[in-house]
Amino acid sequence: MIEAEVHQRLRALLREQGEPQWPHHLTMARLVARALRLGRSALIQTGGASAYRGDHRLSYLMSALIWPEPAVLVLPQSLHGRLLQADLPNLLHRLPMVKPVQSGQRWPSPDYRGLLITDPDSWFQSKLEGQGHFPAAVATLIDGADQVESWVRSHLTRSLDETDWAALMLAYPSQQASIRDLRVRITHASFQHPVNPYDCYLLDTPEQDLLQTLYGLLSDTPWQQDALPPNWRRFWSQLNQPDALTWVQVDRQQGRFTLHCAPADIAPRLMPIWDQQPVVLMGAAVDLDSEAAAYRQQLGLGDLTCLKFAPDRHHDSIQLYLPDRLPMPNTRHFQTAALKEIRKLLQRPVARQHLTVVLVGDTPLKGQIGSILAAEFGSRVRVEALTLAENGILVCSWAYWQRHQLSLPCPHQLIITTLPLPSLENPLVAGRVAHYKRHRQDWFRLYLLPAAIRQLQLAIAPVQVSQGHVALLDNRVSYRSYGRQILSALSPAACSSYLDASLDLPDILGDPPLS
C-alpha cells in the first residue's frame, strides 16, 4: 500500500537529514497517503509553530509525489517560490520515480497525471463559479485551512465603486440624471452614519430602498434590460440572496463610498465544492476540538477524517505572564493599568536585546500606546512598520501581525493587550452575529470564540519557535467561563502571575488554574 511506501521512504529521508524537530512527520504522511488512496477527505491540524516553520510540508509532499494519480496542491502564492525552488527539487532528487510537477491557474491538459500547484484564488474561483479549470474527482491538498474562510468571503464579496457608477451611466444614457440623483441620495445617507473606527456601516432600510428604486428604474428602461454592466449584475444577484450582508465603506476625506455585498453564511456555497473531489485540508489551528465541529459547520464540511497533533512540549512551549487583578478592558482604568504593565515588560533584559511585539486590537488605543511608548523608548518604537531594530518595539493590530509575521523576525516577547474577540462595534461582525441570532444559534461559541482562539494560536506561533515570553493583559481569561479554553489554546506554557528578573518559570501547564 502507498502508506507503507510513504512511511519507508520518508523515514529513510529523515534519518539521512538527521533527527527532525517535528515528531509527527510519519503520522501525517501516512494519513495523507491514506486519504489519497481511499478518496476520503481529511482535516489535519498541525499546530501553530510547526505550520510557521513549514515542518508539515515535507510530509504531504512525499505523499503527493509517490501517489501515482494526479493531484492538486493549493497553497498561498507567497509559498510557491520556496516550494518550487527548494522543497520539491530536493525531494524529487531523492525519489526513484519521476512525477511531473507544474504550477499554474488551471489544469494543464486532460491527460496530465502529475501534481499541479495553484493558488487559493484560482482554485476557489473556478470551483465557486463553475469555470471547470480544475477537473472534478482529482484529489486536492489545501495548505492554509486557517485562511479558507477569509479567502472564500473575499471572493464572494461583490463591490461597487465610483468607476462602476460611471459605467452604469454610460450603459443607461437616457437615465443618467436619475442615476446621478440616486447616487447623491445614497452618498448623503451613507455619510449620515456616525464615525466609527471601521469606516463601514451596514446598509439601513432607507439605503436599501434607494438601491431597489435604482434597480426598478433600470429594469423598466425600454430596450436596455440587458445593458447592466457585469459588476452590477453580480452585485444584484448577491443582494437578492437570502441572508445577504450589505454594507458601505466610507472614505470621508475623499467624499467617496463603496458598496459591498456578501453572504452571511458561506457554508451553502462550499458544500457542493467539497463533494466534487477528496480534499485534505491542513491548517495550523482551526479549532480547539480535534473534531473541529465549529470550523466544519462554518465551511459546510461533512463527514471526514480529523486529526489534531499535540504541540511539542520541548520545542513549542512559551512562558506566559498573566498579571492578576488588572481592570477589565471595557473600563476606563484599563489603558493606564495596561501601559504600566507594558512599561515593566519593556524594561526586562529580553526586551532590551530582542524584538517585542505589542498587539492592540482597538485602533485609537493602538495609536495612543504607540505615541506614549515612542516618547519613552524613542526610535525603537514603530507602529505597523516592517523595518525594525534588532531590539525594536512593534505596536500593531492583530490583522497587521497576521499579515506580516512571516516576513518579520521572531519576537522573543509578545504582549497581548486584549483578546482578539471580534468586536460587536464592527458592523460586519454585528451583521454576522445577527445572522446567528436569526437562526437561534450560539453566536459566541460558534463564531466569536473560535475566531479569537484561531487568531491567538496563529499569533503566538513565532514566539513558540523562539520559545519566548507571552504577556496577556486581558483579565477575562481569569474571570470568564471561556477562560479555560483560551488558556488551553496557549499551552504548553509555563504560567505565572508575577514577573521576576528572569521569568524562569518551571511548571509547564497544560490547563492553568483560574484565579
Side-chain angles (χ1 to χ4, degrees):
M1 289 193 298
I2 182 176
E3 293 98 305
E5 183 178 359
V6 166
H7 180 99
Q8 179 184 1
R9 295 195 181 281
L10 182 56
R11 184 176 59 182
L13 178 61
L14 292 173
R15 285 177 175 173
E16 178 185 335
Q17 294 180 341
E19 286 300 318
Q21 252 192 333
W22 197 50
H24 305 297
H25 277 298
L26 297 176
T27 304
M28 179 167 176
R30 287 197 304 271
L31 180 60
V32 174
R34 180 176 181 273
L36 293 172
R37 178 176 63 84
L38 298 178
R40 176 176 170 79
S41 294
L43 171 63
I44 305 173
Q45 298 187 64
T46 62
S50 62
Y52 179 82
R53 292 188 297 258
D55 294 334
H56 63 295
R57 293 192 196 108
L58 175 62
S59 300
Y60 71 67
L61 285 175
M62 179 68 79
S63 300
L65 291 174
I66 292 179
W67 172 242
E69 299 298 324
V72 177
L73 171 58
V74 180
L75 80 165
Q77 187 72 46
S78 59
L79 297 175
H80 283 207
R82 175 179 170 180
L83 209 70
L84 293 169
Q85 296 167 23
D87 296 347
L88 279 168
N90 289 338
L91 262 180
L92 288 170
H93 178 69
R94 290 172 167 82
L95 293 176
M97 73 289 296
V98 179
K99 184 170 188 174
V101 178
Q102 292 190 32
S103 65
Q105 298 177 334
R106 60 176 64 201
W107 196 248
S109 65
D111 57 349
Y112 181 68
R113 306 286 292 176
L115 175 66
L116 176 70
I117 301 171
T118 191
D119 59 275
D121 286 341
S122 300
W123 193 82
F124 280 107
Q125 180 177 353
S126 175
K127 295 295 181 176
L128 288 165
E129 298 183 4
Q131 295 174 341
H133 293 167
F134 303 91
V138 173
T140 301
L141 312 179
I142 300 179
D143 189 355
D146 321 78
Q147 303 176 65
V148 167
E149 182 181 1
S150 61
W151 290 335
V152 173
R153 286 193 180 281
S154 175
H155 179 74
L156 292 177
T157 299
R158 309 304 183 195
S159 303
L160 298 172
D161 58 22
E162 59 179 5
T163 60
D164 294 301
W165 286 94
L168 187 66
M169 286 190 281
L170 288 174
Y172 292 85
S174 62
Q175 298 291 353
Q176 282 193 11
S178 299
I179 294 171
R180 189 177 295 110
D181 175 66
L182 283 166
R183 180 184 177 183
V184 168
R185 291 165 65 187
I186 293 173
T187 303
H188 177 76
S190 300
F191 278 78
Q192 293 304 301
H193 291 284
V195 176
N196 68 31
Y198 308 97
D199 291 325
C200 70
Y201 313 91
L202 292 176
L203 256 61
D204 290 334
T205 301
E207 295 147 299
Q208 296 268 14
D209 291 344
L210 288 171
L211 282 175
Q212 293 301 332
T213 300
L214 175 61
Y215 184 64
L217 174 71
L218 302 179
S219 299
D220 293 339
T221 303
W223 309 108
Q224 290 184 299
Q225 288 90 343
D226 297 329
L228 203 62
N231 272 3
W232 281 90
R233 194 167 299 168
R234 287 190 286 267
F235 184 87
W236 290 124
S237 176
Q238 189 73 273
L239 184 65
N240 293 322
Q241 295 293 323
D243 290 323
L245 195 61
T246 311
W247 70 97
V248 59
Q249 193 82 32
V250 173
D251 185 341
R252 295 183 184 274
Q253 290 186 340
Q254 299 292 329
R256 300 173 180 171
F257 71 93
T258 304
L259 294 170
H260 302 277
C261 188
D265 183 9
I266 63 173
R269 306 289 187 94
L270 287 172
M271 282 190 284
I273 292 176
W274 307 132
D275 293 336
Q276 293 176 15
Q277 66 282 302
V279 177
V280 179
L281 291 142
M282 297 161 287
V286 301
D287 204 308
L288 270 184
D289 177 21
S290 61
E291 294 298 315
Y295 176 82
R296 290 164 59 190
Q297 179 174 333
Q298 285 180 344
L299 297 189
L301 287 162
D303 182 40
L304 73 171
T305 302
C306 295
L307 181 64
K308 181 176 183 177
F309 292 117
D312 189 319
R313 302 175 75 83
H314 297 290
H315 295 104
D316 300 338
S317 64
I318 58 172
Q319 300 188 62
L320 179 61
Y321 172 51
L322 297 170
D324 195 19
R325 304 192 185 285
L326 284 183
M328 290 295 179
N330 58 349
T331 63
R332 62 190 178 91
H333 300 293
F334 175 75
Q335 180 175 341
T336 302
L339 274 167
K340 182 179 178 181
E341 290 292 340
I342 292 171
R343 288 189 184 100
K344 285 166 52 180
L345 289 159
L346 293 178
Q347 290 165 1
R348 296 179 56 249
V350 67
R352 292 197 290 267
Q353 299 172 17
H354 303 286
L355 174 66
T356 294
V357 174
V358 184
L359 288 175
V360 188
D362 181 84
T363 302
L365 182 60
K366 177 183 66 183
Q368 293 166 14
I369 289 178
S371 299
I372 293 170
L373 294 181
E376 297 184 30
F377 296 92
S379 60
R380 289 174 57 197
V381 180
R382 304 295 299 273
V383 177
E384 299 196 344
L386 293 176
T387 304
L388 302 166
E390 186 177 353
N391 64 341
I393 301 167
L394 173 65
V395 181
C396 64
S397 67
W398 289 89
Y400 185 90
W401 178 236
Q402 185 172 341
R403 190 162 59 248
H404 296 291
Q405 66 182 29
L406 287 175
S407 58
L408 291 167
C410 289
H412 283 246
Q413 182 167 244
L414 180 70
I415 304 173
I416 300 171
T417 55
T418 57
L419 294 171
L421 290 163
S423 172
L424 292 175
E425 295 179 2
N426 184 336
L428 299 185
V429 174
R432 290 186 61 185
V433 167
H435 167 79
Y436 281 98
K437 288 180 177 179
R438 283 194 300 270
H439 291 80
R440 298 182 179 181
Q441 295 177 322
D442 188 341
W443 49 272
F444 185 80
R445 300 288 173 179
L446 291 175
Y447 170 34
L448 298 191
L449 185 58
I453 288 173
R454 197 173 305 143
Q455 200 156 25
L456 264 174
Q457 291 181 307
L458 292 174
I460 69 169
V463 189
Q464 290 177 311
V465 171
S466 65
Q467 293 193 294
H469 309 140
V470 174
L472 178 54
L473 309 184
D474 193 329
N475 240 358
R476 286 177 290 184
V477 296
S478 299
Y479 298 101
R480 296 290 185 265
S481 60
Y482 53 83
R484 288 187 178 277
Q485 291 175 270
I486 296 291
L487 293 175
S488 176
L490 298 174
S491 68
C495 184
S496 176
S497 60
Y498 65 92
L499 285 174
D500 60 23
S502 63
L503 200 66
D504 184 17
L505 306 171
D507 296 325
I508 299 295
L509 304 179
D511 189 8
L514 299 181
S515 301

